[in-house]
Structures are given as C-alpha cells and as structure tokens.
Amino acid sequence: MHSFVWKGEPMDKNFWITTEPIRIEQVYKKVVRPQAGAVSTFIGTVREFTKGKRTLYLQYQAYVPMAEKKLEQIGREIAAKWENAETAIVHRIGRLEISDIAVAIAVSTPHRNDAFEASRYAIERIKEMVPIWKKEHWEDGTKWIGDQKEQVSYAKRLPSKEQMENG
Amino acid sequence: MVNVLFFAELQEAVGKERVAVDAVGLTIAELKQQCSQEYDVPRLDQAMVALNEEYTADDALLADGDTVAFIPPVSGG
C-alpha cells in the first residue's frame, strides 16, 4: 500500500536531509501503523514576503550528519514525552523556490491530542538546535538568517548538559 | 591535526568549508581564539560548537583527528 519510494528517500531511516523535492507521504507512511489513531503532519514552506520584503528564493545548507542525528534526537525526545509516539522528519537543502516544502514532520500516536502537541514540539526544536541554515535571496541582496525565534538571546539557548549527553 | 568546519556566514567569511588546524591539546575556547586571529570571521563568539557531531562546551580538549564545527545561529524549518 505504501511501497512507492521517491527519489532521495531512505528506506531505513525516519530522519533525513535531502536535496530532492519533499512529499508529505514520505513521512506519513513511515509513522502510520495499527496502534495509531492519529497522525499529525506539519509542512514548512518557503514564504514570499517577510515584513514587506520579497523573497525570490532560499538557499538551505546543513551540517548533514549532525543534522540527521539531531532530528533523531528530537524523535527520541518525543518518544519520551508522549506515550507510544512515532516520528519522522525530512528537511530539504539546496535552492528552494516560493512554496516549496522545506520541512515535513509526521507524528503518530494512539490519540489526537498527543500527535498535535508533539508535531508542534518537533518544529520548535528544529528551529532551536538542528544545524540547518537558510540564506534569503531578495531583489536587493542576500543574508544568512539566524535566531528565528528571537524570544531569547541565542547564547541562552545553548543545549542543556542533558541534551548534549543524550545526543 | 583537528578538522574545523565552517557553515553559513562563517563559511563565506573564511572562504572555505573546512581547514586542518594544528590544535591538538588546545581547548575549544583556545581554538576559537586562534581562528579569530587567523580569519576575519564575524561573530565567532556567538557560534555554538560541535565536537565530532555533538554540541560541546568551550572547555573541551581537542585530540588528533577530532572534527570541530562552528555552528552559527540556526535557521532551519
């Protein structure tokens, strides 16, 4: 039923970085299972306008082996916080056009509330600590973007000792 | 030798993805200082540091063959 494999899609892992276009089915099919009563999915797409400024396209870069490890860590954190949760995450790198999918997340759980909460948790953690960067290409220039959350200073969001050890 | 990786704006400032540095026995903090002197790297002090693909503290000691990555503020998602 879910046997089709798209280009760049790994057979053996739930957390990966790709240069190929993302389809939400790629993460969905990795977590759907009989014990699940809910699969919550999140798709992050390339936005054209930010505070009135027009984006032409984005360039994403990752420290690939570490980024995949950190995505796996997020999966373990979710499994520890929400009972019987399974997670899959894919993030694309390279040049992305407006409305392209940059990230797709799927979390399956027995009941819907946990799936909603856990998928939100996953995207927030990605923005905190997974080594992936985006470069904005505007009509009038370019910039590597950092610290998107901007609620606390970056220095105060260093990973905890526990996170370092669990990594 | 210690392999040092640069990403995003740090990579553009240095002009290289990676360099090999004679930094065995130094701490991460000392390596940061050495790189700041050698290259014109903006805000290197704000970067987090990964040692062999795991976040680490500034007082970690470097051994031969280690890979250090300077991680500027991330912006995935």
Side-chain angles (χ1 to χ4, degrees), chain A residues 1-14 16 23-34 36 39-41 86-90 104-108:
Chain A
M1 171 180 174
H2 298 294
S3 58
F4 189 84
V5 174
W6 282 278
K7 196 177 173 195
E9 178 184 328
M11 297 289 287
D12 57 345
K13 48 185 176 182
N14 279 24
W16 74 102
R23 293 166 185 269
I24 191 66
E25 293 88 344
Q26 293 175 301
V27 283
Y28 165 72
K29 72 180 182 183
K30 287 187 182 286
V31 300
V32 68
R33 60 204 157 103
V39 179
S40 178
T41 57
E86 282 191 14
T87 305
I89 305 173
V90 56
I105 298 166
V107 184
S108 68

Side-chain angles (χ1 to χ4, degrees), chain A residues 13 17 26 32 47 99 102 110 116 122 125 129 146 149 157-158:
Chain A
K13 48 185 176 182
I17 303 293
Q26 293 175 301
V32 68
R47 182 178 53 240
S99 294
F116 276 122
R125 288 293 278 153
M129 61 83 167
K149 299 190 87 178
R157 286 195 289 106
L158 289 169

Side-chain angles (χ1 to χ4, degrees), chain A residues 31-51:
Chain A
V31 300
V32 68
R33 60 204 157 103
Q35 303 96 307
V39 179
S40 178
T41 57
F42 173 83
I43 297 175
T45 54
V46 177
R47 182 178 53 240
E48 183 171 17
F49 285 95
T50 301
K51 293 175 183 168

Side-chain angles (χ1 to χ4, degrees), chain A residues 40 78 81-82 107 112-122:
Chain A
S40 178
I78 286 172
K81 282 174 182 284
W82 289 278
V107 184
R112 68 185 181 283
N113 192 50
D114 286 357
F116 276 122
E117 286 181 10
S119 62
R120 175 68 190 265
Y121 176 86

Side-chain angles (χ1 to χ4, degrees), chain A residues 137-152:
Chain A
H137 290 257
W138 297 298
E139 287 160 312
D140 60 348
T142 65
K143 186 176 192 285
W144 283 103
I145 305 298
D147 196 12
Q148 295 182 103
K149 299 190 87 178
E150 290 172 358
Q151 290 129 343
V152 288

Side-chain angles (χ1 to χ4, degrees), chain A residues 60-63 65-66 69-70 73 91 102-103 123 126-135 144-148 154 158-159 163-164 167, chain B residues 5-12 17-18 43 46-57 67-77:
Chain A
Y60 277 95
Q61 184 185 76
Y63 182 12
M66 183 172 169
K69 280 187 190 174
K70 292 285 115 185
Q73 179 186 328
H91 201 297
V103 62
I123 186 63
I126 288 169
K127 288 175 181 287
E128 277 174 5
M129 61 83 167
V130 179
I132 300 172
W133 302 269
K134 74 173 170 191
K135 188 178 190 179
W144 283 103
I145 305 298
D147 196 12
Q148 295 182 103
Y154 186 66
L158 289 169
Q163 285 163 12
M164 291 186 194
Chain B
L5 310 182
F6 300 101
F7 294 96
E9 61 180 343
L10 300 181
Q11 187 178 98
E12 287 185 0
E17 289 178 30
R18 61 172 64 218
R43 295 185 292 279
Q46 286 178 23
M48 288 205 278
V49 181
L51 176 57
N52 300 326
E53 302 175 3
E54 190 48 66
Y55 287 114
T56 191
T67 297
V68 171
F70 291 119
I71 314 266
V74 302
S75 50

